[in-house]
Amino acid sequence: LLLMNKSIFITGATTGIGFELAKLYVKEGYRVGVCGRDLTKLPDPYRSRFECYELSVTDEQALKEAIVDFHHKGGLDIVMANAGISHGSKSKLPDFTVTKQIIDINVYGVLNTFAPAISIFAQQGHGHLVGTASVAGFVGLPGASAYSASKAAVISLCESYALDLKHLGIKVTAICPGFIDTPLTKKNDHDMPFLMSVDKGARKIKKAIDKGRNLYVFPWQMALVMHILRRLPRFMYRFIMTLPF
């Protein structure tokens, strides 16, 4: 069944999870809007299938204009704040230039995406906000301070919004993947347990969004690990994390 009148806008959708999701939604008959800093990363056939905007999510005004423009051209049902960056290499000494970039894109980028969407959704009485967080947001991971902090912010933000915006008919979902095989994780120079293919990951995410889940953590093995680590007494967590594995 094709849903010809439904519209979704996804940030950071020129590669990785965002791109895979955009393909899934367009296949199902959605109007799909995407944005990214470099649209040349988007394979040719999809440039005409998506409504494309070249911008950075750190540019609050440009992103607002893009989301409003996409809405005016045919409505808005789901907005997914998916753009994000990570450390790549783990270092015990924080690089504060990188830290600020991560917070800027992963936290302020989400706020810049959600703000215009909430205005539109509140006015029309329905809508769905989706934030791409990570299992890294459940604990402070060694060597990934800014990334863990940024994703913790997204998880908490989505949880609060789910409570605060429900009366307006707005649904909110936080997506917390483990390691997904994307250009982002390819930069990692550390082990990535339970690594999942990007197409499988995107299908699972779409299913969670379709069901209106408030929080979706996957794969189950990683969800279990994080569930245990999160509930450990913090001194025990810190001890385990300093063991030479």
Side-chain angles (χ1 to χ4, degrees), residues 24-124:
L24 286 178
Y25 277 104
V26 90
K27 199 174 174 183
E28 210 171 272
Y30 275 72
R31 242 182 95 239
V32 177
V34 304
C35 74
R37 285 178 293 183
D38 181 6
L39 290 180
T40 60
K41 290 180 183 175
L42 207 56
D44 276 335
Y46 289 98
R47 282 183 219 176
S48 57
R49 299 189 72 186
F50 305 149
E51 292 181 34
C52 304
Y53 300 86
E54 190 165 72
L55 55 90
S56 168
V57 292
T58 59
D59 189 335
E60 186 181 353
Q61 190 56 34
L63 184 52
K64 181 183 177 179
E65 285 169 10
I67 291 170
V68 169
D69 177 73
F70 180 72
H71 167 61
H72 283 157
K73 285 177 178 170
L76 188 65
D77 298 284
I78 307 170
V79 166
M80 184 169 190
N82 171 71
I85 60 169
S86 68
H87 293 266
S89 62
K90 290 191 170 188
S91 166
K92 292 197 175 180
L93 197 64
D95 178 334
F96 284 103
T97 304
V98 175
T99 294
K100 285 173 183 172
Q101 282 175 342
I102 289 170
I103 299 295
D104 213 14
I105 291 170
N106 295 9
V107 180
Y108 284 104
V110 171
L111 293 172
N112 293 342
T113 307
F114 281 177
I118 289 170
S119 297
I120 292 163
F121 292 162
Q123 214 166 4
Q124 67 191 19

Side-chain angles (χ1 to χ4, degrees), residues 177-182 185 192-205 216 218-221:
F179 294 111
I180 307 289
D181 191 8
T182 65
T185 56
M192 293 184 285
F194 319 118
L195 184 70
M196 184 180 282
S197 69
V198 71
D199 53 331
K200 188 178 179 183
R203 286 196 304 273
K204 284 181 171 290
I205 291 167
Y216 180 54
F218 74 102
W220 69 265
Q221 300 96 323

Side-chain angles (χ1 to χ4, degrees), residues 130-207:
V130 182
T132 302
S134 165
V135 295
F138 291 119
V139 295
L141 288 173
S145 50
Y147 189 71
S148 285
S150 71
K151 295 306 185 180
V154 175
I155 293 167
S156 292
L157 196 71
C158 288
E159 188 167 57
S160 292
Y161 284 170
L163 300 169
D164 294 340
L165 305 175
K166 193 178 179 182
H167 73 288
L168 296 170
I170 301 173
K171 287 187 281 191
V172 187
T173 300
I175 302 291
C176 297
F179 294 111
I180 307 289
D181 191 8
T182 65
L184 188 73
T185 56
K186 277 183 171 53
K187 294 177 188 172
N188 291 346
D189 59 2
H190 52 80
D191 287 341
M192 293 184 285
F194 319 118
L195 184 70
M196 184 180 282
S197 69
V198 71
D199 53 331
K200 188 178 179 183
R203 286 196 304 273
K204 284 181 171 290
I205 291 167
K206 185 179 179 301
K207 202 171 174 183

